[in-house]
Amino acid sequence: MEGEVQLFAEKVIAAGIIDAAKANQIWRACKDPSDMLSFGEALLAEVPEIFEQVQELVNEAATEFAHGQRATSNPFEPEKQDTGDYRESPPETVVSAAGITPGIPDFASLDYKDLNQIASALIGILLYLGDNDFSDLHISGGSRPFGRRFGKLEYLAEHALDRRLAASFGMALVSPAQIAYFDKSQDYDFVIALDTGQRYRTNLMQHRDGIKITFRLVPPEIQDLKTLGFGEHVETIKGLLAYHNGLILVTGPIGCGKTTTLAAMVDELNKTRTDHIICVEDPIEIVHYSDKCSVTQRGVGPHTKSFKTALKGALRQDPDIIVIGEMRDLETIEMAISASETGHLVIGTMHTSNASMTLNRILDVFPPAAQSQIRAMVAESLRGIVCQRLLPGTNGHPVLACEVLVKNMAVSALIRDGKQEGLSNIMETGKKDGMIQMDACVMQCFQNGKISAETAKANIQNEIMRRNIQ
């Protein structure tokens, strides 16, 4: 087992038998890198005089591993040196689209060696997709290039791309500094911005068939909450944004529009309040220009080491509102809750599907001993949760369905007592406070003819509601 090998190797290194570099070399050369005995045999072939010591360490590692002990880190991965320079990942690349006509090229006619030709073809594809309501573009070796429109895949070529041509697409619009960074990381998130104003969140990665590049088309203009489809819930959300402290969460699965909703919220604040807003994102997708508010945007990588360090710094930068692109670890969640308690309005996103699951996720990241205190903090600081989902509409366009939780005394009591399962009852009777459950919103979308019966049934969990769908 790989974990057993790591524990054994950690003990060998700690005993001073070999260093980490030598351990890595032996591990890569052994017959079965996942087997501790195979690694031990390869080690003894290098240093046969320490047979008894290795035998002791093998037995020790096997016993401890069986009792749940694990290596404190992976000894076969060299430690990353903290150079203090977090700008090695360039924030974005600005590319000229002058003279390029939108369109899908004949991929078979492209020469992978001609990067200028590839770059022009790629810009043309991006412009075409933007003009035709696509949200994503995927180009990969060994696969047909495709775009995603209204949630559905549409292929852009009849045949799979040669890995060399796909690699050229991956490298055509990036700078030498970005290529150097990708060579080290093998996985790179950044932004490509055309000089015409379009922006694309971009991921470059290495996989079995070579290089793959993925583009997410960022909306050219910030849409307001009503345009996004929140309808009657717009005023409820604006009510949450009127607070000067507390925690607001925007949640939903990947690709459901959380970033777009977050941008709409920031834009609403920017137009209606006179505050200092600090946004921490990975990467910066939608650009905000200061209006009534002063808006500071920081990207993880080019501007700050992590969400954690950015939040720690933000508390010393006199913010009124802190916007967190993603709350995904204990430190970030803990600092967000603390900031919301100390006079700041904190807005963040999480990958959860409903309000109850969101609260469970927040609490579960903390050790059991701390959960009572965290429940009390969240019960006090939470202002509301907006969960959203994009459903295929009957007119071919996606339809937004949402769940809205607004904190009141009953919600606070449930959170404090750890009884989140009772939230559904409170939300069902809390319509006067602007609350709605996801099932009820999906049913409304069906009754208004926005989604089909099949879509409604697939997205409603309440069995009684599902039976009433014809």
Side-chain angles (χ1 to χ4, degrees):
M1 289 175 285
E2 190 172 329
E4 194 175 33
V5 179
Q6 292 175 2
L7 182 61
F8 172 55
E10 188 175 70
K11 290 180 175 295
V12 170
I13 295 167
I17 297 173
I18 53 175
D19 60 18
K22 188 65 176 177
N24 190 289
Q25 179 184 343
I26 293 172
W27 175 69
R28 291 180 180 279
C30 70
K31 293 180 181 178
D32 184 358
S34 65
D35 181 68
M36 180 171 63
L37 294 180
S38 177
F39 176 72
E41 290 173 359
L43 173 63
L44 288 173
E46 293 282 337
V47 277
E49 65 275 10
I50 44 90
F51 175 81
E52 292 185 0
Q53 189 177 6
V54 168
Q55 192 173 38
E56 274 183 34
L57 293 175
V58 165
N59 293 334
E60 190 178 308
T63 301
E64 290 183 5
F65 186 81
H67 287 83
Q69 183 68 34
R70 298 295 184 268
T72 56
S73 62
N74 186 349
F76 304 122
E77 289 185 359
E79 285 189 32
K80 296 179 181 178
Q81 298 299 315
D82 187 355
T83 63
D85 178 11
Y86 304 115
R87 296 192 61 84
E88 63 175 343
S89 165
E92 64 182 55
T93 299
V94 179
V95 179
S96 173
I100 296 178
T101 303
I104 306 300
D106 175 8
F107 287 92
S109 68
L110 298 175
D111 181 0
Y112 75 91
K113 298 177 183 176
D114 189 345
L115 284 186
N116 289 330
Q117 181 194 41
I118 301 297
S120 296
L122 180 53
I123 294 170
I125 297 171
L126 292 173
L127 292 172
Y128 173 84
L129 298 188
D131 291 341
N132 289 275
D133 299 317
F134 282 81
S135 61
D136 299 85
L137 169 65
H138 297 252
I139 297 179
S140 172
S143 299
R144 294 158 65 187
F146 66 88
R148 189 183 294 274
R149 177 157 53 178
F150 306 137
K152 296 181 180 179
L153 269 59
E154 294 188 21
Y155 288 104
L156 308 178
E158 295 182 0
H159 303 287
L161 296 189
D162 177 85
R163 61 187 301 154
R164 295 172 300 179
L165 182 59
S168 295
F169 272 104
M171 298 294 143
L173 299 182
V174 297
S175 67
Q178 289 173 308
I179 292 174
Y181 181 84
F182 174 67
D183 285 342
K184 288 190 294 181
S185 66
Q186 300 294 288
D187 200 339
Y188 181 30
D189 290 310
F190 60 105
V191 168
I192 286 179
L194 301 185
D195 58 1
T196 51
Q198 293 96 325
R199 293 172 62 82
Y200 306 88
R201 186 183 75 195
T202 309
N203 175 267
L204 193 59
M205 74 166 179
Q206 186 79 42
H207 68 124
R208 185 191 66 185
D209 293 317
I211 287 175
K212 177 176 181 178
I213 190 164
T214 304
F215 299 88
R216 166 63 57 85
L217 282 69
V218 178
E221 296 179 355
I222 301 174
Q223 297 175 299
D224 59 31
L225 294 166
K226 184 176 181 180
T227 305
L228 291 178
F230 283 100
E232 64 191 76
H233 309 294
V234 170
E235 294 306 316
T236 304
I237 297 172
K238 286 183 178 180
L240 298 177
L241 297 175
Y243 284 102
H244 288 271
N245 60 21
L247 178 64
I248 301 172
L249 297 172
V250 179
T251 77
I254 292 174
C256 73
K258 295 187 297 296
T259 300
T260 306
T261 297
L262 204 63
M265 289 182 169
V266 173
D267 191 55
E268 176 68 20
L269 293 165
N270 195 15
K271 291 176 178 177
T272 58
R273 293 173 58 159
T274 53
D275 290 317
H276 178 205
I277 304 173
I278 294 180
C279 304
V280 186
E281 303 165 73
D282 183 20
I284 296 172
E285 295 184 44
I286 299 173
V287 177
H288 296 274
Y289 299 98
S290 298
D291 190 351
K292 289 186 176 180
C293 288
S294 174
V295 183
T296 302
Q297 289 185 272
R298 305 187 71 195
V300 174
H303 307 136
T304 182
K305 182 181 179 181
S306 65
F307 283 105
K308 174 187 171 184
T309 54
L311 279 176
K312 186 176 180 180
L315 295 177
R316 300 186 180 95
Q317 293 153 10
D318 187 31
D320 299 291
I321 302 166
I322 301 173
V323 179
I324 308 167
E326 187 176 349
M327 294 167 55
R328 54 190 175 198
D329 55 54
L330 187 151
E331 291 86 357
T332 303
I333 294 172
E334 185 175 29
M335 294 189 74
I337 294 171
S338 298
S340 67
E341 280 202 316
T342 55
H344 306 88
L345 180 63
V346 178
I347 309 172
T349 73
M350 298 184 75
H351 294 300
T352 50
S353 58
N354 58 47
S356 178
M357 185 181 294
T358 300
L359 291 170
N360 288 334
R361 178 72 59 83
I362 289 175
L363 298 172
D364 287 347
V365 300
F366 291 91
Q371 288 192 7
S372 178
Q373 179 187 359
I374 294 300
R375 282 200 301 269
M377 293 172 69
V378 173
E380 182 64 30
S381 62
L382 183 70
R383 296 302 181 190
I385 300 174
V386 179
C387 306
Q388 64 183 71
R389 193 180 299 171
L390 290 180
L391 309 177
T394 51
N395 64 353
H397 292 259
V399 173
L400 185 141
C402 65
E403 176 168 295
V404 180
L405 170 72
V406 179
K407 189 197 78 171
N408 56 24
M409 291 181 65
V411 171
S412 290
L414 284 181
I415 296 172
R416 195 175 289 108
D417 296 338
K419 297 178 179 178
Q420 290 82 246
E421 64 276 6
L423 283 176
S424 59
N425 293 331
I426 292 177
M427 293 177 70
E428 193 171 340
T429 58
K431 293 179 181 179
K432 64 181 184 301
D433 295 324
M435 294 195 239
I436 188 169
Q437 291 181 282
M438 182 62 75
D439 282 358
C441 188
V442 173
M443 179 61 83
Q444 284 182 5
C445 291
F446 167 66
Q447 291 172 342
N448 293 333
K450 295 180 179 180
I451 61 175
S452 66
E454 291 73 19
T455 299
K457 288 179 181 178
N459 287 275
I460 289 178
Q461 294 184 344
N462 187 296
E463 189 60 35
I464 296 175
M465 277 191 180
R466 294 181 67 195
R467 287 200 199 109
N468 291 330
I469 298 173
Q470 301 298 328

